[in-house]
Amino acid sequence: HDYQILHENLIKTGFENGVFGYLFNFYAQGQLFHSPIFYIIIYYLQNVFGNDLTRILLLHIFLILPFFYYKTINLKFKKIDFFISFVLIFFLSTSYRSIAIWSGREILTSIFLIISIFYFLKFKDNFKFKNIYLSFTFLGSASYISPEVGVISAIYFLDIYKILGTKQTIKLLIFNFIIAMPFFLYLHHY
């Protein structure tokens, strides 16, 4: 019930003057802890589906996470069957269930992050550039919702530099700076 009151009031109050009014006036007051991108996504979802259906939609989207987690684990550890551990980690975990119920930013952040790790591991297996660009794209998406996740790119770059060398690493750095432009604007304004 508290969640519903918070989000309904936040959406009604914050977005009275549209998305730009929210970004530059309401959010700039510093009352919120989540990234503004998360609230913009929720705003549009609630306009289309309403509050309750948005929560149910996010709950069902969160069910994708165990699938990608399982695929990622199998990509890293090819000869070990993790099915039992996989079931125990997700479906018996109180954290997983509470995040799904409260529909916080962790849902989308976790999904984008695990997909990023999946494509990063795929790149390390086959060295296809498409996979590393997809990995950074999903990591960037996760970082827009939860900025602290962006630190993981440093780990990626250390591994990539060892594999590809300077020239390709610089190309990836440029790609990441392009992806990170909204983040730099965010730092500048807030």
Side-chain angles (χ1 to χ4, degrees):
H1 181 67
D2 293 339
Y3 172 87
Q4 186 173 358
I5 293 171
L6 171 72
H7 276 279
E8 283 180 0
N9 288 334
L10 175 71
I11 296 300
K12 287 177 186 171
T13 307
F15 288 93
E16 277 178 347
N17 298 320
V19 173
F20 288 109
Y22 169 78
L23 280 174
F24 298 109
N25 296 326
F26 184 78
Y27 188 81
Q29 294 172 0
Q31 299 174 351
L32 303 173
F33 299 109
H34 297 309
S35 162
I37 301 299
F38 173 74
Y39 289 112
I40 291 170
I41 292 169
I42 295 299
Y43 168 71
Y44 283 117
L45 286 174
Q46 285 185 359
N47 277 343
V48 174
F49 301 111
N51 192 25
D52 291 334
L53 285 177
T54 298
R55 288 183 70 193
I56 291 171
L57 177 69
L58 287 174
L59 174 75
H60 285 83
I61 289 173
F62 200 47
L63 291 174
I64 296 170
L65 182 66
F67 170 75
F68 278 109
Y69 178 78
Y70 182 71
K71 299 275 289 172
T72 303
I73 290 294
N74 278 337
L75 194 62
K76 178 69 177 166
F77 304 104
K78 294 176 181 160
K79 297 177 183 166
I80 300 172
D81 185 23
F82 277 101
F83 187 72
I84 303 274
S85 303
F86 163 77
V87 170
L88 289 175
I89 288 172
F90 281 97
F91 295 111
L92 296 178
S93 167
T94 56
S95 297
Y96 178 79
R97 289 179 293 175
S98 67
I99 289 170
I101 297 294
W102 282 100
S103 303
R105 68 184 173 130
E106 297 85 1
I107 292 174
L108 297 175
T109 302
S110 300
I111 290 171
F112 288 139
L113 181 60
I114 201 72
I115 294 172
S116 171
I117 293 169
F118 173 78
Y119 280 114
F120 182 73
L121 292 175
K122 253 183 127 168
F123 167 76
K124 287 181 74 171
D125 277 353
N126 60 21
F127 302 112
K128 289 186 180 176
F129 287 105
K130 175 184 92 170
N131 291 329
I132 196 63
Y133 282 100
L134 283 170
S135 176
F136 277 115
T137 301
F138 282 108
L139 184 62
S141 299
S143 298
Y144 285 150
I145 297 168
S146 190
E148 60 272 7
V149 174
V151 174
I152 294 172
S153 64
I155 298 166
Y156 284 4
F157 274 112
L158 288 174
D159 276 356
I160 289 168
Y161 182 74
K162 292 175 190 173
I163 296 168
L164 298 178
T166 307
K167 185 178 178 183
Q168 292 297 332
T169 305
I170 290 173
K171 287 181 183 178
L172 284 169
L173 275 171
I174 292 169
F175 177 74
N176 275 290
F177 278 120
I178 292 169
I179 288 176
M181 286 304 219
F183 177 71
F184 294 131
L185 290 172
Y186 173 81
L187 281 178
H188 177 71
H189 284 287
Y190 307 109

Coordinates of all heavy atoms in Angstrom, one line a residue, residues 13-82:
T13 N 2.9 14.2 -9.0 CA 3.6 15.5 -8.7 C 4.8 15.8 -9.6 O 5.0 16.9 -10.1 CB 4.1 15.4 -7.2 OG1 3.0 15.1 -6.4 CG2 4.7 16.7 -6.8
G14 N 5.6 14.8 -9.8 CA 6.9 15.0 -10.5 C 6.7 15.3 -11.9 O 7.5 16.0 -12.5
F15 N 5.7 14.6 -12.6 CA 5.6 14.8 -14.0 C 4.5 15.7 -14.4 O 4.0 15.7 -15.5 CB 5.4 13.4 -14.6 CG 6.6 12.6 -14.6 CD1 6.9 11.7 -13.6 CD2 7.5 12.7 -15.7 CE1 8.0 10.9 -13.6 CE2 8.7 11.9 -15.7 CZ 8.9 11.0 -14.6
E16 N 4.1 16.6 -13.5 CA 3.0 17.6 -13.8 C 3.4 18.4 -15.0 O 2.5 18.8 -15.8 CB 2.8 18.5 -12.6 CG 1.9 18.0 -11.6 CD 1.7 18.9 -10.4 OE1 2.5 19.9 -10.3 OE2 0.8 18.7 -9.6
N17 N 4.7 18.8 -15.1 CA 5.1 19.6 -16.2 C 5.9 18.8 -17.3 O 6.8 19.4 -18.0 CB 6.0 20.8 -15.7 CG 5.2 21.7 -14.8 OD1 4.1 22.0 -15.0 ND2 5.9 22.1 -13.7
G18 N 5.6 17.6 -17.4 CA 6.3 16.7 -18.4 C 7.6 16.2 -18.0 O 8.1 16.4 -16.9
V19 N 8.2 15.5 -18.9 CA 9.5 14.8 -18.6 C 10.6 15.8 -18.4 O 11.4 15.6 -17.4 CB 9.9 13.8 -19.7 CG1 11.3 13.2 -19.5 CG2 8.8 12.7 -19.8
F20 N 10.7 16.8 -19.2 CA 11.8 17.8 -19.0 C 11.6 18.6 -17.7 O 12.6 18.9 -17.0 CB 11.9 18.8 -20.2 CG 12.4 18.1 -21.4 CD1 11.6 17.8 -22.5 CD2 13.7 17.7 -21.5 CE1 12.1 17.2 -23.6 CE2 14.3 17.1 -22.6 CZ 13.4 16.8 -23.7
G21 N 10.3 18.9 -17.4 CA 10.1 19.5 -16.1 C 10.5 18.7 -14.9 O 11.0 19.1 -13.9
Y22 N 10.3 17.4 -15.1 CA 10.7 16.4 -14.0 C 12.2 16.4 -13.9 O 12.8 16.5 -12.8 CB 10.2 15.0 -14.4 CG 10.8 13.9 -13.5 CD1 10.3 13.7 -12.3 CD2 11.8 13.1 -14.0 CE1 10.9 12.7 -11.4 CE2 12.4 12.2 -13.2 CZ 11.9 12.0 -12.0 OH 12.5 11.0 -11.2
L23 N 12.9 16.3 -15.1 CA 14.4 16.2 -15.0 C 15.0 17.4 -14.5 O 16.0 17.3 -13.7 CB 14.9 15.9 -16.4 CG 14.8 14.5 -16.9 CD1 15.2 14.4 -18.4 CD2 15.7 13.6 -16.1
F24 N 14.6 18.6 -14.9 CA 15.3 19.8 -14.6 C 14.7 20.6 -13.4 O 15.4 21.5 -12.9 CB 15.5 20.7 -15.8 CG 16.2 20.0 -16.9 CD1 15.6 19.5 -18.1 CD2 17.6 19.7 -16.8 CE1 16.3 18.9 -19.0 CE2 18.3 19.1 -17.7 CZ 17.6 18.7 -18.9
N25 N 13.5 20.3 -13.0 CA 13.0 21.0 -11.8 C 12.7 20.1 -10.6 O 13.3 20.3 -9.6 CB 11.6 21.7 -12.2 CG 11.9 22.8 -13.3 OD1 12.9 23.4 -13.3 ND2 10.9 22.9 -14.2
F26 N 11.9 19.1 -10.8 CA 11.5 18.2 -9.7 C 12.7 17.4 -9.2 O 13.0 17.3 -8.0 CB 10.3 17.3 -10.1 CG 9.8 16.5 -9.0 CD1 9.0 17.0 -8.1 CD2 10.1 15.1 -8.9 CE1 8.5 16.2 -7.0 CE2 9.6 14.4 -7.9 CZ 8.8 14.9 -6.9
Y27 N 13.3 16.6 -10.1 CA 14.4 15.7 -9.7 C 15.6 16.5 -9.2 O 16.3 16.1 -8.3 CB 14.8 14.9 -10.9 CG 15.8 13.8 -10.5 CD1 15.4 12.6 -9.9 CD2 17.2 13.9 -10.6 CE1 16.2 11.6 -9.5 CE2 18.1 13.0 -10.2 CZ 17.6 11.8 -9.7 OH 18.5 10.8 -9.2
A28 N 15.8 17.7 -9.7 CA 17.0 18.5 -9.3 C 16.9 19.0 -7.9 O 17.9 19.4 -7.3 CB 17.1 19.8 -10.2
Q29 N 15.7 18.9 -7.2 CA 15.6 19.3 -5.8 C 16.3 18.3 -4.9 O 16.4 18.5 -3.7 CB 14.1 19.4 -5.5 CG 13.4 20.5 -6.2 CD 11.9 20.5 -5.9 OE1 11.4 19.6 -5.2 NE2 11.2 21.4 -6.5
G30 N 16.6 17.1 -5.4 CA 17.4 16.1 -4.7 C 16.6 15.3 -3.7 O 17.2 14.9 -2.7
Q31 N 15.3 15.1 -3.9 CA 14.5 14.3 -3.0 C 14.5 12.8 -3.3 O 14.0 12.1 -2.5 CB 13.1 14.9 -3.0 CG 13.0 16.3 -2.6 CD 11.6 16.8 -2.8 OE1 10.7 16.2 -3.3 NE2 11.4 18.0 -2.3
L32 N 15.0 12.4 -4.4 CA 14.9 11.0 -4.8 C 16.3 10.4 -4.9 O 17.3 11.0 -5.1 CB 14.3 11.0 -6.2 CG 12.9 11.6 -6.3 CD1 12.4 11.6 -7.7 CD2 11.9 10.9 -5.4
F33 N 16.3 9.1 -4.6 CA 17.6 8.4 -4.5 C 17.9 7.6 -5.8 O 19.0 7.2 -6.0 CB 17.6 7.4 -3.3 CG 17.4 8.2 -2.0 CD1 16.3 8.1 -1.3 CD2 18.4 9.0 -1.5 CE1 16.1 8.7 -0.1 CE2 18.3 9.7 -0.4 CZ 17.1 9.5 0.4
H34 N 16.8 7.2 -6.5 CA 17.0 6.5 -7.8 C 17.4 7.4 -8.9 O 17.2 8.6 -8.9 CB 15.8 5.7 -8.1 CG 15.4 4.7 -7.0 ND1 16.2 3.7 -6.5 CD2 14.2 4.4 -6.4 CE1 15.6 3.0 -5.6 NE2 14.4 3.4 -5.6
S35 N 17.9 6.7 -10.0 CA 18.2 7.4 -11.2 C 16.9 8.0 -11.8 O 15.9 7.4 -11.7 CB 18.9 6.5 -12.2 OG 18.8 6.9 -13.5
P36 N 17.0 9.1 -12.5 CA 15.8 9.7 -13.1 C 15.3 8.8 -14.2 O 14.1 8.8 -14.5 CB 16.2 11.1 -13.6 CG 17.7 11.0 -13.7 CD 18.1 10.0 -12.6
I37 N 16.1 8.0 -14.9 CA 15.7 7.2 -16.0 C 14.7 6.1 -15.5 O 13.7 5.8 -16.1 CB 16.9 6.5 -16.6 CG1 17.9 7.5 -17.1 CG2 16.5 5.5 -17.7 CD1 17.4 8.4 -18.2
F38 N 14.9 5.6 -14.3 CA 14.0 4.6 -13.7 C 12.6 5.2 -13.6 O 11.6 4.6 -13.9 CB 14.5 4.1 -12.3 CG 13.5 3.2 -11.6 CD1 13.3 1.9 -12.1 CD2 12.8 3.7 -10.5 CE1 12.4 1.1 -11.4 CE2 11.9 2.9 -9.9 CZ 11.7 1.6 -10.3
Y39 N 12.5 6.4 -13.0 CA 11.2 7.1 -12.8 C 10.6 7.4 -14.2 O 9.4 7.4 -14.3 CB 11.4 8.3 -12.0 CG 11.7 8.0 -10.5 CD1 12.9 8.2 -9.9 CD2 10.7 7.3 -9.8 CE1 13.1 7.9 -8.6 CE2 11.0 7.0 -8.4 CZ 12.2 7.3 -7.9 OH 12.4 6.9 -6.6
I40 N 11.4 7.8 -15.2 CA 10.8 8.1 -16.5 C 10.2 6.8 -17.1 O 9.1 6.8 -17.6 CB 11.9 8.7 -17.4 CG1 12.2 10.1 -16.9 CG2 11.4 8.8 -18.8 CD1 13.4 10.7 -17.6
I41 N 10.9 5.7 -17.0 CA 10.4 4.4 -17.4 C 9.1 4.1 -16.7 O 8.1 3.7 -17.4 CB 11.4 3.3 -17.3 CG1 12.6 3.5 -18.2 CG2 10.8 1.9 -17.5 CD1 13.8 2.6 -17.9
I42 N 9.1 4.2 -15.4 CA 7.9 3.9 -14.6 C 6.7 4.9 -15.0 O 5.6 4.4 -15.1 CB 8.2 4.0 -13.1 CG1 9.1 2.9 -12.7 CG2 6.9 3.9 -12.3 CD1 8.7 1.5 -12.9
Y43 N 7.0 6.1 -15.2 CA 6.0 7.1 -15.6 C 5.3 6.7 -16.9 O 4.1 6.7 -17.0 CB 6.7 8.5 -15.8 CG 5.8 9.5 -16.5 CD1 4.7 10.1 -15.9 CD2 6.1 9.9 -17.8 CE1 4.0 11.0 -16.5 CE2 5.4 10.9 -18.4 CZ 4.3 11.4 -17.8 OH 3.5 12.4 -18.4
Y44 N 6.1 6.3 -17.9 CA 5.5 5.9 -19.2 C 4.7 4.6 -19.0 O 3.6 4.4 -19.6 CB 6.5 5.8 -20.3 CG 6.9 7.1 -20.8 CD1 8.2 7.6 -20.7 CD2 6.0 8.0 -21.4 CE1 8.6 8.8 -21.2 CE2 6.4 9.2 -21.9 CZ 7.7 9.6 -21.8 OH 8.0 10.9 -22.3
L45 N 5.3 3.6 -18.3 CA 4.5 2.4 -18.1 C 3.2 2.6 -17.3 O 2.2 2.0 -17.7 CB 5.4 1.4 -17.3 CG 6.6 0.7 -18.1 CD1 7.4 -0.1 -17.1 CD2 6.0 -0.1 -19.2
Q46 N 3.2 3.5 -16.3 CA 2.0 3.7 -15.5 C 1.0 4.5 -16.4 O -0.2 4.3 -16.2 CB 2.3 4.5 -14.3 CG 3.0 3.6 -13.2 CD 3.2 4.3 -11.9 OE1 2.9 5.4 -11.7 NE2 3.7 3.5 -10.9
N47 N 1.5 5.3 -17.3 CA 0.5 6.0 -18.2 C -0.2 5.0 -19.1 O -1.4 5.2 -19.4 CB 1.2 7.1 -19.0 CG 1.4 8.4 -18.3 OD1 0.8 8.6 -17.2 ND2 2.3 9.2 -18.7
V48 N 0.5 4.0 -19.5 CA -0.1 3.0 -20.4 C -0.9 2.0 -19.6 O -2.0 1.6 -20.0 CB 1.0 2.3 -21.2 CG1 0.4 1.2 -22.1 CG2 1.7 3.3 -22.2
F49 N -0.3 1.4 -18.6 CA -0.9 0.3 -17.9 C -1.6 0.6 -16.5 O -2.3 -0.3 -16.0 CB 0.1 -0.8 -17.7 CG 0.7 -1.3 -18.9 CD1 2.1 -1.1 -19.2 CD2 0.0 -2.1 -19.8 CE1 2.6 -1.5 -20.4 CE2 0.6 -2.5 -21.0 CZ 1.9 -2.3 -21.3
G50 N -1.3 1.7 -15.9 CA -1.7 2.0 -14.6 C -0.7 1.4 -13.6 O 0.2 0.7 -13.9
N51 N -0.9 1.7 -12.3 CA 0.1 1.3 -11.3 C 0.1 -0.2 -11.0 O 1.2 -0.8 -11.0 CB -0.2 2.1 -10.0 CG 0.9 1.9 -8.9 OD1 2.0 1.7 -9.3 ND2 0.6 2.1 -7.7
D52 N -1.0 -0.8 -10.9 CA -1.1 -2.2 -10.5 C -0.5 -3.1 -11.7 O 0.3 -4.0 -11.5 CB -2.5 -2.7 -10.1 CG -2.9 -2.1 -8.8 OD1 -2.0 -1.8 -8.0 OD2 -4.1 -1.9 -8.6
L53 N -1.0 -2.8 -12.9 CA -0.5 -3.6 -14.0 C 1.0 -3.3 -14.3 O 1.7 -4.2 -14.8 CB -1.3 -3.3 -15.3 CG -2.7 -3.9 -15.3 CD1 -3.5 -3.5 -16.6 CD2 -2.6 -5.4 -15.2
T54 N 1.5 -2.2 -14.0 CA 2.9 -1.9 -14.1 C 3.7 -2.8 -13.2 O 4.7 -3.4 -13.6 CB 3.2 -0.4 -13.9 OG1 2.6 0.4 -14.9 CG2 4.7 -0.1 -14.0
R55 N 3.3 -2.9 -12.0 CA 3.9 -3.8 -11.0 C 3.9 -5.2 -11.5 O 4.9 -5.9 -11.3 CB 3.3 -3.6 -9.6 CG 3.6 -2.3 -9.0 CD 3.1 -2.2 -7.6 NE 3.8 -3.1 -6.7 CZ 3.4 -3.4 -5.5 NH1 2.3 -2.9 -5.0 NH2 4.1 -4.2 -4.7
I56 N 2.8 -5.7 -12.0 CA 2.7 -7.0 -12.5 C 3.6 -7.2 -13.7 O 4.2 -8.3 -13.8 CB 1.2 -7.4 -12.8 CG1 0.4 -7.4 -11.5 CG2 1.1 -8.7 -13.6 CD1 -1.1 -7.6 -11.7
L57 N 3.6 -6.3 -14.6 CA 4.5 -6.3 -15.7 C 6.0 -6.5 -15.3 O 6.7 -7.3 -15.8 CB 4.3 -5.1 -16.6 CG 5.2 -5.0 -17.9 CD1 4.8 -6.1 -18.8 CD2 5.1 -3.7 -18.5
L58 N 6.4 -5.6 -14.3 CA 7.8 -5.7 -13.9 C 8.1 -7.0 -13.2 O 9.2 -7.5 -13.3 CB 8.1 -4.5 -12.9 CG 8.2 -3.1 -13.6 CD1 8.3 -2.0 -12.6 CD2 9.4 -3.1 -14.6
L59 N 7.1 -7.5 -12.4 CA 7.2 -8.8 -11.8 C 7.5 -9.9 -12.8 O 8.4 -10.7 -12.7 CB 6.0 -9.1 -11.0 CG 5.9 -10.5 -10.4 CD1 6.8 -10.6 -9.1 CD2 4.5 -10.8 -10.0
H60 N 6.8 -9.9 -13.9 CA 6.9 -10.9 -15.0 C 8.2 -10.6 -15.8 O 8.8 -11.6 -16.2 CB 5.7 -10.9 -15.9 CG 4.6 -11.6 -15.2 ND1 3.7 -11.0 -14.3 CD2 4.2 -12.9 -15.2 CE1 2.8 -11.8 -13.9 NE2 3.1 -13.0 -14.4
I61 N 8.6 -9.4 -15.9 CA 9.9 -9.1 -16.6 C 11.0 -9.7 -15.7 O 12.0 -10.2 -16.2 CB 10.1 -7.6 -16.9 CG1 9.1 -7.2 -18.0 CG2 11.5 -7.3 -17.2 CD1 9.1 -5.7 -18.2
F62 N 10.9 -9.6 -14.4 CA 11.9 -10.1 -13.5 C 12.1 -11.6 -13.6 O 13.1 -12.1 -13.3 CB 11.6 -9.6 -12.1 CG 12.8 -9.6 -11.2 CD1 14.0 -9.1 -11.5 CD2 12.7 -10.2 -9.9 CE1 15.1 -9.1 -10.7 CE2 13.8 -10.2 -9.0 CZ 15.0 -9.6 -9.4
L63 N 11.1 -12.3 -14.1 CA 11.2 -13.7 -14.2 C 12.2 -14.1 -15.4 O 12.6 -15.3 -15.5 CB 9.8 -14.3 -14.5 CG 8.8 -14.3 -13.3 CD1 7.5 -14.8 -13.7 CD2 9.4 -15.1 -12.1
I64 N 12.5 -13.1 -16.2 CA 13.5 -13.4 -17.2 C 14.9 -13.5 -16.6 O 15.8 -14.3 -17.1 CB 13.5 -12.2 -18.2 CG1 12.2 -12.1 -19.0 CG2 14.7 -12.3 -19.2 CD1 12.0 -10.9 -19.8
L65 N 15.2 -12.9 -15.5 CA 16.5 -12.9 -14.8 C 17.0 -14.4 -14.6 O 18.2 -14.6 -14.9 CB 16.5 -12.1 -13.6 CG 17.8 -12.0 -12.8 CD1 18.8 -11.3 -13.7 CD2 17.7 -11.4 -11.5
P66 N 16.3 -15.3 -14.0 CA 16.8 -16.6 -13.8 C 17.2 -17.3 -15.1 O 18.2 -18.0 -15.1 CB 15.7 -17.4 -13.1 CG 14.9 -16.3 -12.5 CD 15.0 -15.1 -13.4
F67 N 16.5 -17.1 -16.1 CA 16.8 -17.6 -17.4 C 18.2 -17.2 -17.9 O 19.1 -18.0 -18.3 CB 15.7 -17.3 -18.5 CG 16.1 -17.7 -19.9 CD1 16.1 -19.0 -20.3 CD2 16.5 -16.7 -20.8 CE1 16.5 -19.3 -21.6 CE2 16.8 -17.0 -22.1 CZ 16.8 -18.4 -22.5
F68 N 18.4 -15.8 -17.9 CA 19.7 -15.3 -18.3 C 20.8 -15.7 -17.4 O 22.0 -15.9 -17.8 CB 19.6 -13.8 -18.5 CG 19.0 -13.4 -19.8 CD1 17.8 -12.8 -19.9 CD2 19.7 -13.6 -21.0 CE1 17.2 -12.5 -21.1 CE2 19.2 -13.3 -22.2 CZ 17.9 -12.7 -22.3
Y69 N 20.5 -15.8 -16.1 CA 21.5 -16.2 -15.1 C 22.0 -17.6 -15.4 O 23.2 -17.9 -15.4 CB 21.0 -16.1 -13.7 CG 21.9 -16.5 -12.6 CD1 23.0 -15.7 -12.2 CD2 21.8 -17.8 -12.1 CE1 23.9 -16.2 -11.3 CE2 22.7 -18.2 -11.1 CZ 23.7 -17.4 -10.7 OH 24.6 -17.8 -9.7
Y70 N 21.0 -18.5 -15.7 CA 21.3 -19.9 -16.0 C 22.1 -20.0 -17.3 O 23.1 -20.7 -17.3 CB 20.0 -20.7 -16.1 CG 20.2 -22.1 -16.4 CD1 20.7 -23.0 -15.4 CD2 19.9 -22.7 -17.6 CE1 20.9 -24.3 -15.7 CE2 20.1 -24.0 -17.9 CZ 20.6 -24.8 -16.9 OH 20.8 -26.1 -17.2
K71 N 21.8 -19.2 -18.3 CA 22.5 -19.2 -19.6 C 23.9 -18.7 -19.3 O 24.9 -19.2 -19.9 CB 21.8 -18.3 -20.6 CG 20.4 -18.8 -21.0 CD 20.4 -19.8 -22.1 CE 20.8 -19.2 -23.4 NZ 21.0 -20.2 -24.4
T72 N 24.1 -17.7 -18.5 CA 25.4 -17.1 -18.2 C 26.3 -18.1 -17.5 O 27.5 -18.3 -17.8 CB 25.3 -15.8 -17.5 OG1 24.5 -14.9 -18.2 CG2 26.6 -15.2 -17.2
I73 N 25.7 -18.7 -16.5 CA 26.5 -19.7 -15.7 C 26.9 -20.9 -16.6 O 28.0 -21.4 -16.5 CB 25.6 -20.2 -14.5 CG1 25.5 -19.1 -13.4 CG2 26.3 -21.5 -13.8 CD1 26.8 -18.7 -12.8
N74 N 26.0 -21.4 -17.4 CA 26.4 -22.5 -18.3 C 27.4 -22.0 -19.4 O 28.2 -22.9 -19.8 CB 25.1 -23.0 -19.0 CG 24.4 -24.0 -18.2 OD1 24.9 -24.6 -17.2 ND2 23.1 -24.2 -18.4
L75 N 27.4 -20.8 -19.7 CA 28.5 -20.3 -20.6 C 29.8 -20.3 -20.0 O 30.8 -20.6 -20.6 CB 28.1 -18.9 -21.1 CG 28.8 -18.3 -22.3 CD1 28.5 -19.2 -23.5 CD2 28.4 -16.9 -22.6
K76 N 29.9 -19.9 -18.7 CA 31.1 -19.8 -18.0 C 31.6 -21.2 -17.6 O 32.8 -21.6 -17.7 CB 31.0 -18.9 -16.7 CG 32.2 -18.8 -15.9 CD 33.3 -18.1 -16.6 CE 34.5 -17.9 -15.6 NZ 35.7 -17.5 -16.3
F77 N 30.7 -22.0 -17.0 CA 31.1 -23.4 -16.5 C 30.4 -24.4 -17.4 O 29.3 -24.9 -17.0 CB 30.7 -23.5 -15.0 CG 31.3 -22.5 -14.2 CD1 30.5 -21.4 -13.7 CD2 32.6 -22.5 -13.8 CE1 31.0 -20.4 -12.9 CE2 33.1 -21.5 -13.0 CZ 32.4 -20.5 -12.5
K78 N 30.9 -24.7 -18.5 CA 30.2 -25.6 -19.5 C 30.0 -27.0 -19.1 O 29.0 -27.6 -19.5 CB 31.0 -25.5 -20.8 CG 31.0 -24.2 -21.4 CD 31.8 -24.1 -22.6 CE 31.8 -22.7 -23.1 NZ 32.8 -22.3 -24.0
K79 N 30.8 -27.6 -18.3 CA 30.7 -29.0 -18.0 C 30.0 -29.3 -16.7 O 29.9 -30.4 -16.3 CB 32.1 -29.6 -17.9 CG 32.8 -29.5 -19.2 CD 34.2 -30.0 -19.2 CE 34.9 -29.8 -20.5 NZ 36.3 -30.0 -20.5
I80 N 29.6 -28.3 -16.0 CA 28.9 -28.5 -14.7 C 27.4 -28.2 -14.8 O 27.1 -27.2 -15.4 CB 29.6 -27.6 -13.6 CG1 31.1 -27.9 -13.5 CG2 28.9 -27.8 -12.2 CD1 31.8 -27.0 -12.6
D81 N 26.6 -29.0 -14.2 CA 25.2 -28.8 -14.2 C 24.8 -28.0 -13.0 O 24.9 -28.5 -11.9 CB 24.4 -30.1 -14.3 CG 22.9 -29.9 -14.4 OD1 22.5 -28.9 -14.9 OD2 22.2 -30.8 -14.0
F82 N 24.3 -26.8 -13.2 CA 24.0 -25.9 -12.1 C 22.4 -25.8 -11.9 O 22.0 -24.9 -11.3 CB 24.5 -24.5 -12.4 CG 25.9 -24.3 -12.1 CD1 26.9 -24.3 -13.0 CD2 26.3 -24.0 -10.7 CE1 28.2 -24.1 -12.7 CE2 27.6 -23.9 -10.4 CZ 28.6 -23.9 -11.4

